[in-house]
Amino acid sequence: MQEYTIHDLAKLAGVSTRTLRWYHQIGLLRPCRTAENGYRLYSGAEVNRLQHILFYRALGVELAQIGRILDDPAFDRMAALRGHLAALRDERARIDALIATVARTIESEERNEMMMDEQKFECFKRDAVRKSEAEYGRESREKYGDDAVNASNRRLLSLSPAEYAEWQRLDEDIRARLAEAVREKQRPDGPVGAVIAELHRRWLSYTWTRYSPQAHAGLAEMYIADERFRSYYDAEVPGCAQFLRDAVVAMTSRAE
């Protein structure tokens, strides 16, 4: 069985020895043994694990989450590899769409031709749909059904450039207001919470074909139940996801 020193493995994988030492320190990648001379030695199992680590890192997954994934007794290497392949193909499709849009823009400028505004933003809207499907598609379809999710995707793709820009601006405004509200220890059921919940309702109206307080409250519950939603809203200030959930519940309770 071939074994690698930390320097050999670093060279093989294209990472630094400092990175491998850090992975060892946090328990993400331990050597299979330590030689009598004190050298860390890595075997095929560690090589495979490092490959997965680097795949997940390339996809933007945090180290702590990678550790939980790889240490799960149900972890399936082949299933993970297939998942990596699907994710990388999605990323390639996203980049290809961006390349095509940039190339089309350059060509239009060089020929002094008018490029339709919708074409300038088409790839970004499709990217938003792709990301949503990849991250939340399964849960959304289980909760709301395929027809509702497909209709929401079509609605997003049909947004005009101005509507798409406003949709993005609203999302940024909501997160900024949430961070400020949590820092200032505002009440979710108070005036500030009411404004944020209404802004969130307006944000949803750009992609939802039909609004109901019950569905809005149900979505808000996912913001604290699902770590992916929570980490999105809590990225800057912890507690924002909980505040948003409580504000939405307070608003929808008054509407019932």
Side-chain angles (χ1 to χ4, degrees):
M1 178 179 65
Q2 184 172 3
E3 293 181 331
Y4 297 89
T5 66
I6 190 170
H7 290 90
D8 290 338
L9 183 59
K11 183 177 179 180
L12 176 71
V15 299
S16 67
T17 56
R18 182 179 180 182
T19 295
L20 294 180
R21 290 191 181 95
W22 174 243
Y23 288 172
H24 184 188
Q25 183 178 336
I26 64 176
L28 185 59
L29 182 70
R30 298 182 178 89
C32 63
R33 68 185 183 92
T34 302
E36 292 181 0
N37 56 10
Y39 285 3
R40 296 176 175 90
L41 296 177
Y42 300 84
S43 67
E46 288 73 48
V47 171
N48 288 343
R49 185 177 175 94
L50 178 59
Q51 184 188 39
H52 283 298
I53 292 170
L54 297 181
F55 277 143
Y56 282 120
R57 288 297 291 152
L59 296 171
V61 182
E62 296 181 353
L63 292 178
Q65 185 177 354
I66 294 173
R68 290 193 294 270
I69 293 170
L70 298 182
D71 292 335
D72 188 332
F75 177 75
D76 184 325
R77 174 169 165 78
M78 287 304 299
L81 287 171
R82 293 188 181 97
H84 294 322
L85 181 60
L88 290 169
R89 282 173 172 164
D90 284 346
E91 180 66 9
R92 181 175 65 184
R94 184 186 73 85
I95 293 174
D96 285 345
L98 288 170
I99 290 172
T101 299
V102 173
R104 192 181 303 121
T105 303
I106 292 172
E107 183 178 357
S108 297
E109 294 286 342
E110 289 178 341
R111 294 184 178 181
N112 198 26
E113 295 176 346
M114 183 68 70
M115 184 177 180
M116 295 178 63
D117 288 340
E118 288 76 8
Q119 292 177 316
K120 297 176 183 177
F121 296 93
E122 184 68 22
C123 65
F124 299 108
K125 291 187 289 185
R126 290 192 177 279
D127 190 42
V129 170
R130 182 194 63 80
K131 287 181 178 178
S132 178
E133 282 286 353
E135 294 181 13
Y136 315 115
R138 181 174 61 84
E139 292 83 355
S140 297
R141 290 177 182 279
E142 289 176 355
K143 188 174 183 65
Y144 301 109
D146 289 339
D147 290 343
V149 174
N150 291 338
S152 178
N153 289 342
R154 287 195 297 271
R155 188 172 176 85
L156 175 56
L157 291 172
S158 69
L159 294 180
S160 70
E163 289 171 333
Y164 180 71
E166 176 64 11
W167 180 67
Q168 289 189 309
R169 189 199 65 77
L170 273 174
D171 179 57
E172 294 173 359
D173 189 19
I174 290 167
R175 287 186 286 141
R177 288 174 183 265
L178 282 170
E180 183 178 2
V182 172
R183 289 195 188 101
E184 295 180 353
K185 295 181 169 38
Q186 297 283 350
R187 290 176 57 88
D189 58 353
V192 172
V195 170
I196 291 174
E198 172 58 22
L199 286 173
H200 193 258
R201 185 198 66 77
R202 285 175 51 195
W203 178 77
L204 287 175
S205 71
Y206 280 88
T207 55
W208 281 20
T209 55
R210 185 177 66 85
Y211 174 85
S212 75
Q214 296 79 10
H216 194 180
L219 177 64
E221 292 294 343
M222 291 177 64
Y223 289 172
I224 60 172
D226 192 307
E227 181 61 31
R228 292 165 300 177
F229 283 109
R230 184 188 290 274
S231 62
Y232 177 75
Y233 285 105
D234 287 359
E236 183 179 350
V237 179
C240 288
Q242 184 71 54
F243 189 100
L244 178 56
R245 176 266 181 195
D246 294 345
V248 169
V249 168
M251 183 186 77
T252 55
S253 295
R254 292 192 292 269
E256 292 177 354

